[in-house]
Amino acid sequence: MSQEGYDHTAVEKRWQEAWDDASVYRTPDEVDDPTYVLGMYPYPSGKLHMGHVRNYTITDAYARYRRMCGDDVLHPMGWDAFGLPAENAAKERDTNPRDWTFDCIDTMRGQMKSMGFGYDWDREITTCTPEYYRWNQWLFRRFHEAGLIERRDAEVNWCPSCETVLADEQVEGDDELCWRCDTPVETRDLDQWFLSITEYADELIDAIDGLEGWPDSVRQMQRNWIGRQHGSEVEFAVEGHGSVTAFTTRIDTIHGATFFALAPDHPISEELAAENEDVRRFVEEEADPEGDEPNGVATGLTATNPATGEEIPVFVADFVLSDVGTGALMAVPGHDERDHAFAEKMGVEIKPVIAPEPDDWDGETVPDAPDVSEAAFTDDGVVIDSGEYSGLASETARERLTEDIESAEATTQYRLRDWGISRQRYWGTPIPVVHCDDCGSVLVPEADLPVELPEFINTTGNPLDAAEEWKQTTCPECGGPATRETDTMDTFVDSSWYFLRYVSPGLDDAPFDLDRANDWMPVDQYVGGIEHAVMHLLYSRFVTKVLADEEGLEHREPFTNLLAQGMVQLEGEKMSKSVGNTVSPQRIVEEYGADTARLFMMQAAQPERDFDWSEEGVRSTHRFLARLTDLVEEHKRQFMFWDKDDTDDRDAPDRDEIDDYVADEIDAAVAIAGGEYDDLTFNVALREAQDLVGTLRSYRGHAEPHPETYERGLDVAVRLLAPVVPHLAEELWATLDRDGFVVEADWPTATVDRETVERRRRLVENTREDVRDIVEVAGIEDPERIDVVVAPDWKFDALEIAIDSDADNLISELMGESHIRERGDDAASYGQDLQANREALQETLSGDEEYDALRAASWLIEREFDAPVRVERAADADDSVVRKAEPGRPAIDIVE
């Protein structure tokens, strides 16, 4: 086959059909604790995009690798099929969301199969089917029975474009835009159903530290979103308005509070706005909570500091937020940067009451005040100028002041709010409640689930409000007339537990088989976008904890390891259909093949990093696969009549140094690639496989390859690439006359460890680099011979002593060894070098290992410089050359 390419279409079709016929990816229910690998299931928008391809190639490659390592693997796929986009698409096309959604699913499923993703399609789930969403309704009942659901009037986020409520987590950015359509979000007062996620706030945040397999960035995003703050609530008497509660984490600074601030939407601010034009103008026209600097307006009122009795001015300020704390705060400009900036702007006193703790502080002496004229001092320290509390450490002062101030009370506040799940749309799970004039809101009995959606009505607003026949029902409690709840559930309810349904997707009497879930869960490796950090991932953790408490799940976290994959970009920009800078996965598959697309994506960057799509990179990847195919097919032609099983040991060709080098590199590739696959650093693993292919090509071009060594190299290269290029790997596996599927083959093993590999490679590369430097500096154009001399054994011993030693005087310790001491000045000189470079010393191969490694690699130097290479031990070389040799850095002597 030429390097123009191979018939990827025929190859991929052939092996996809073979896998299907053999049910290679099916996970039987009987397996014990399979490795559960899962990519976040997609919304069926119509076609796969490159972000999907990257996500699902990551999980597919890892699942294939674990299968080759001998694991039973659960690797399912499904569809996050409810949602507003399908409803809008149906309206635009005068069809219904169900037909639109299933057409999209059919298209995307076909694309997934064309990419070679190894899913157990028998476990496919689709959340818009009654068979799935009945269990959303069952969960609603269970949460209600557990006291974790409440219906109440609430101020909610409203998207006027989507005509529905949004959870706090679905309002994005400083401009507060809808996460789906980027429309500015408004607020409305509506009756809403809430899941009491705040009941689990402490466990959700405390358990984050245990999620050691999650990225630190995602864990921190969840901490920030939950926003737990330990502090104190304390009352300030505001002139004419009674006591107002403020929350502070720094009550130790209360003696430095020089003004009081209210949020623009605080009740007192709204009352003042009705009376005071300046306040009205600020509240309605000027307040900018997202601005770069704090702004405010004086009210003319004062507040009484409960610690000092002093009257301090009251402002309405836009940096005070009603949904953080209490919407009122004591401002301490000496110890808060934002308060400092505001005080400077408004001409308010800035008073220091905390000083840095001196290094030699005795715990009693009151230190001098810091200079806070230019900037606030925001750290804990020692309290000053605060009466009887002066001289206390900040933490102690906080405890004492909270105890001593009558209105103060220790409290914990959270940014997290209960999860509002009511949505005023059609294409979602109906909330299983009916409203009865006599009985109130009544849950639909479990026996009557699912409450199925009626036929779609193309209308403005909520189509379920227009479904009159469907709405009218009877009350389960009194039998009287009742009206169905017309809100549907937030689609994040669907995805908060879908990973459990894969365990037993056909079960019709429970959402999941509890025993099997306890055996198979949690998910071992989860992969998806970081944009889900505070929605899907947080909700899934919450629901899992509730199911552990209420249903007997034996795990409290759904995902052991999480990888948040980076974006696929085009010319540095995120791919977007609206911008028009997209690349069609289908075109790449048709033109280059699925394996090319998969390999290019996985070799381009570590999976959590963004990378730029490159058409030239794709072509280069395709050429690599063609070269690999050529190697295997040429070997097949060349050795098709050679059967190692029929070859007498006396007739088998002997291995020479070149063969040994290649054999070592085969082991090296295995030793490194496996660990990188374990860590999901596929780009490093693939670099090993591709470098091995390059070594095999050089081997074939430089010498007559040792048949067994060469064939093992091809065998290993194919297996190392198989998780990422599964179709071509199967084709080449068959070409090599191997039995069965490569996807079910054993992962290759090595007789060398990674540390030894890295030392050997470092030795060879350093040696080659030293030869290049000498040739260049000395201007040697045509070397006659290159001698490479290994350091004497005593230097290896000295290096080992230096690495292990913690003695101040290394040279004295070295000279305590007689075989080193007898080397005289040479030992003293080398000892000084070791002493001077102790921090940078690295372990090397032993002297014998170094000699063997250099002999095996000498052909690389011979090929590069077209000169014979002689590798010598120190005992066989000239002393003047030997003196230059060090462990890991042999001496080089070039004969011109």
Side-chain angles (χ1 to χ4, degrees):
M1 180 168 298
S2 74
Q3 291 187 14
E4 294 290 319
Y6 62 97
D7 189 351
H8 56 263
T9 302
V11 167
E12 291 171 3
K13 183 174 185 294
R14 175 162 53 251
W15 291 107
Q16 288 164 14
E17 291 175 351
W19 294 330
D20 283 347
D21 291 344
S23 299
V24 167
Y25 305 112
R26 182 175 173 274
T27 307
D29 289 343
E30 298 77 30
V31 302
D32 180 49
D33 191 21
T35 297
Y36 192 169
V37 182
L38 186 62
M40 293 182 185
Y41 66 173
Y43 177 78
S45 56
K47 293 181 180 179
L48 291 182
H49 55 66
M50 281 301 179
H52 289 132
V53 173
R54 190 180 194 195
N55 183 333
Y56 302 138
T57 302
I58 290 169
T59 58
D60 190 56
Y62 186 66
R64 289 174 180 277
Y65 166 68
R66 293 311 317 171
R67 188 176 280 111
M68 293 178 74
C69 289
D71 295 4
D72 290 313
V73 174
L74 174 62
H75 186 217
M77 178 48 65
W79 310 97
D80 189 10
F82 272 139
L84 189 58
E87 189 171 333
N88 290 341
K91 284 185 175 184
E92 293 169 5
R93 293 162 177 78
D94 198 23
T95 180
N96 67 76
R98 186 183 188 282
D99 291 346
W100 167 261
T101 298
F102 278 94
D103 285 346
C104 291
I105 288 174
D106 288 343
T107 298
M108 293 175 71
R109 186 191 300 111
Q111 289 181 301
M112 287 182 173
K113 290 184 176 182
S114 75
M115 289 299 304
F117 297 145
Y119 297 125
D120 181 354
W121 286 107
D122 290 346
R123 295 182 181 276
E124 181 181 12
I125 61 172
T126 305
T127 61
C128 67
T129 62
E131 293 78 14
Y132 184 89
Y133 68 70
R134 70 174 289 193
W135 301 113
N136 286 346
Q137 296 170 343
W138 179 91
L139 284 170
F140 185 96
R141 285 185 53 89
R142 292 298 291 118
F143 274 59
H144 194 280
E145 291 164 5
L148 294 170
I149 285 186
E150 181 182 6
R151 187 173 190 251
R152 63 175 183 266
D153 182 69
E155 184 180 86
V156 296
N157 306 304
W158 177 266
C159 175
S161 175
C162 298
E163 297 182 296
T164 191
V165 166
L166 303 176
D168 287 345
E169 294 86 346
Q170 294 166 325
V171 180
E172 296 187 333
D174 294 342
D175 295 330
E176 297 190 340
L177 303 179
C178 171
W179 71 293
R180 186 183 294 110
C181 68
D182 287 339
T183 299
V185 172
E186 302 171 355
T187 58
R188 289 191 179 183
D189 288 325
L190 294 174
D191 281 337
Q192 298 285 290
W193 291 99
F194 289 89
L195 299 186
S196 302
I197 191 172
T198 53
E199 292 293 316
Y200 282 76
D202 283 322
E203 184 184 349
L204 285 167
I205 198 168
D206 290 338
I208 289 174
D209 288 343
L211 298 176
E212 296 178 356
W214 286 38
D216 288 341
S217 58
V218 174
R219 295 197 290 174
Q220 191 57 46
M221 289 168 74
Q222 290 211 356
R223 288 190 191 97
N224 293 343
W225 189 259
I226 297 168
R228 182 172 66 188
Q229 289 187 307
H230 300 294
S232 305
E233 286 186 345
V234 60
E235 293 180 2
F236 282 67
V238 174
E239 179 185 354
H241 295 273
S243 293
V244 176
T245 301
F247 173 78
T248 178
T249 60
R250 294 295 306 272
I251 200 170
D252 55 316
T253 67
I254 192 169
H255 287 79
T258 56
F259 68 95
F260 196 73
L262 302 169
D265 56 351
H266 191 281
I268 294 177
S269 301
E270 294 177 344
E271 186 178 331
L272 292 172
E275 306 168 352
N276 185 311
E277 177 59 21
D278 290 341
V279 175
R280 184 206 65 77
R281 186 184 308 109
F282 176 76
V283 168
E284 297 180 5
E285 302 174 14
E286 299 172 0
D288 180 14
E290 310 302 334
D292 293 334
E293 57 182 52
N295 296 297
V297 61
T299 65
L301 302 178
T302 61
T304 304
N305 185 324
T308 66
E310 295 175 354
E311 299 296 319
I312 57 176
V314 176
F315 293 86
V316 176
D318 58 11
F319 64 86
V320 187
L321 305 177
S322 60
D323 60 349
V324 178
T326 64
L329 61 81
M330 64 172 216
V332 185
H335 302 289
D336 182 277
E337 293 175 355
R338 178 201 52 203
D339 296 351
H340 192 283
F342 187 84
E344 283 192 312
K345 192 171 189 176
M346 296 297 182
V348 178
E349 180 186 6
I350 300 174
K351 178 183 177 183
V353 292
I354 303 290
E357 181 180 311
D359 293 336
D360 58 351
W361 188 50
D362 60 9
E364 296 180 2
T365 305
V366 179
D368 294 333
D371 181 3
V372 293
S373 59
E374 299 296 327
F377 173 69
T378 59
D379 294 338
D380 275 4
V382 181
V383 176
I384 61 173
D385 293 335
S386 300
E388 64 185 281
Y389 304 97
S390 296
L392 295 178
S394 286
E395 185 173 353
T396 303
R398 284 194 284 271
E399 295 172 0
R400 288 269 302 274
L401 283 158
T402 303
E403 291 174 1
D404 294 349
I405 297 174
E406 185 177 352
S407 68
E409 182 177 358
T411 188
T412 302
Q413 296 231 347
Y414 303 85
R415 182 172 183 261
L416 182 68
R417 297 292 181 261
D418 283 335
W419 177 12
I421 64 166
S422 297
R423 299 294 181 268
Q424 293 67 45
R425 306 306 309 167
Y426 168 81
W427 196 229
T429 298
I431 292 176
V433 169
V434 300
H435 300 291
C436 172
D437 289 342
D438 294 327
C439 304
S441 297
V442 180
L443 294 180
V444 174
E446 186 174 335
D448 294 340
L449 301 181
V451 176
E452 295 194 34
L453 288 166
E455 290 298 314
F456 180 63
I457 300 173
N458 193 343
T459 183
T460 58
N462 183 355
L464 291 182
D465 280 332
E468 291 297 335
E469 183 177 347
W470 177 84
K471 280 199 311 183
Q472 303 309 315
T473 186
T474 56
C475 174
E477 290 191 357
C478 71
T483 303
R484 292 193 187 279
E485 172 66 68
T486 58
D487 285 352
T488 52
M489 295 186 198
D490 180 7
T491 55
F492 281 105
V493 174
D494 308 353
S495 59
S496 68
W497 70 280
Y498 79 107
F499 40 87
L500 283 162
R501 187 64 179 171
Y502 286 131
V503 168
S504 45
L507 196 65
D508 59 8
D509 60 355
F512 51 87
D513 182 291
L514 181 61
D515 290 338
R516 197 179 303 154
N518 285 335
D519 185 32
W520 289 14
M521 287 288 292
V523 174
D524 293 287
Q525 183 62 62
Y526 199 37
V527 179
I530 199 169
E531 66 271 15
H532 296 295
V534 294
M535 289 188 283
H536 163 58
L537 291 171
L538 187 62
Y539 296 151
S540 297
R541 295 182 62 221
F542 164 53
V543 170
T544 299
K545 292 177 188 302
V546 174
L547 290 173
D549 289 337
E550 303 299 327
E551 294 299 316
L553 271 185
E554 294 176 356
H555 58 277
R556 302 188 69 81
E557 293 289 346
F559 315 118
T560 302
N561 297 292
L562 171 70
L563 187 149
Q565 92 275 3
M567 291 188 299
V568 184
Q569 300 175 326
L570 193 62
E571 297 179 350
E573 299 293 332
K574 179 180 178 181
M575 288 190 185
S576 169
K577 284 192 293 186
S578 61
V579 177
N581 65 336
T582 60
V583 175
S584 164
Q586 205 60 33
R587 177 184 70 81
I588 300 301
V589 170
E590 291 169 0
E591 191 169 343
Y592 299 103
D595 283 343
T596 295
R598 292 167 59 117
L599 179 56
F600 171 68
M601 280 201 172
M602 299 294 273
Q603 72 184 11
Q606 290 188 11
E608 67 271 17
R609 295 182 179 173
D610 300 341
F611 82 96
D612 247 25
W613 182 266
S614 161
E615 203 75 14
E616 177 51 39
V618 174
R619 288 191 289 269
S620 174
T621 302
H622 190 60
R623 290 192 294 269
F624 165 78
L625 293 178
R627 290 194 297 271
L628 173 61
T629 304
D630 279 350
L631 279 181
V632 175
E633 291 188 345
E634 182 176 329
H635 171 74
K636 175 72 172 179
R637 290 191 297 270
Q638 185 174 356
F639 294 102
M640 64 186 303
F641 301 114
W642 175 73
D643 188 340
K644 59 181 179 291
D645 295 329
D646 292 337
T647 302
D648 189 278
D649 288 342
R650 293 166 297 178
D651 300 326
D654 293 331
R655 282 188 5 182
D656 59 18
E657 287 87 352
I658 299 177
D659 304 323
D660 289 342
Y661 175 83
V662 174
D664 286 344
E665 281 302 296
I666 294 167
D667 266 356
V670 173
I672 293 179
E676 299 298 339
Y677 270 114
D678 278 328
D679 293 340
L680 280 73
T681 43
F682 302 103
N683 57 317
V684 180
L686 293 169
R687 186 164 61 241
E688 285 297 321
Q690 291 173 300
D691 287 350
L692 175 58
V693 172
T695 297
L696 294 173
R697 291 185 73 223
S698 298
Y699 181 36
R700 186 188 67 179
H702 184 77
E704 184 68 30
H706 182 266
E708 287 191 44
T709 301
Y710 189 66
E711 182 164 320
R712 179 171 183 260
L714 293 174
D715 173 296
V716 166
V718 168
R719 282 189 280 169
L720 295 185
L721 289 164
V724 178
V725 289
H727 309 90
L728 184 59
E730 293 287 7
E731 187 78 3
L732 300 181
W733 192 246
T735 303
L736 290 169
D737 289 328
R738 299 303 193 259
D739 294 332
F741 293 106
V742 72
V743 70
E744 295 177 330
D746 290 338
W747 189 253
T749 58
T751 58
V752 67
D753 60 84
R754 180 170 186 154
E755 193 174 75
T756 300
V757 169
E758 291 173 346
R759 291 175 186 173
R760 188 175 66 218
R761 287 181 170 177
R762 188 166 61 242
L763 166 70
V764 171
E765 184 51 43
N766 286 344
T767 303
R768 295 177 70 183
E769 187 62 37
D770 287 346
V771 174
R772 293 187 196 110
D773 289 344
I774 293 170
V775 167
E776 181 180 350
V777 172
I780 301 173
E781 295 183 1
D782 188 19
E784 181 179 331
R785 190 184 73 239
I786 301 172
D787 291 343
V788 179
V789 180
V790 177
D793 289 342
W794 69 265
K795 283 192 174 181
F796 286 90
D797 293 343
L799 175 64
E800 183 178 356
I801 292 170
I803 290 174
D804 293 340
S805 174
D806 55 6
D808 292 334
N809 192 332
L810 174 62
I811 295 176
S812 294
E813 185 171 353
L814 292 175
M815 293 307 171
E817 301 290 330
S818 60
H819 72 294
I820 297 176
R821 184 174 63 251
E822 67 187 20
R823 299 296 169 176
D825 291 343
D826 286 346
S829 176
Y830 186 51
Q832 289 172 351
D833 290 342
L834 293 175
Q835 178 77 41
N837 296 288
R838 289 182 76 170
E839 296 301 320
L841 295 180
Q842 291 181 302
E843 293 186 8
T844 67
L845 300 174
S846 70
D848 288 341
E849 290 171 334
E850 186 167 310
Y851 176 77
D852 291 340
L854 289 169
R855 278 178 57 84
S858 62
W859 68 283
L860 296 172
I861 304 174
E862 289 179 348
R863 186 184 62 171
E864 182 174 354
F865 297 98
D866 193 24
V869 173
R870 185 173 66 182
V871 179
E872 296 183 297
R873 298 182 186 274
D876 301 324
D878 186 271
D879 285 347
S880 63
V881 178
V882 172
R883 287 192 181 94
K884 302 174 186 176
E886 295 181 4
R889 217 68 195 234
I892 310 297
D893 186 31
I894 301 178
V895 180
E896 296 187 63

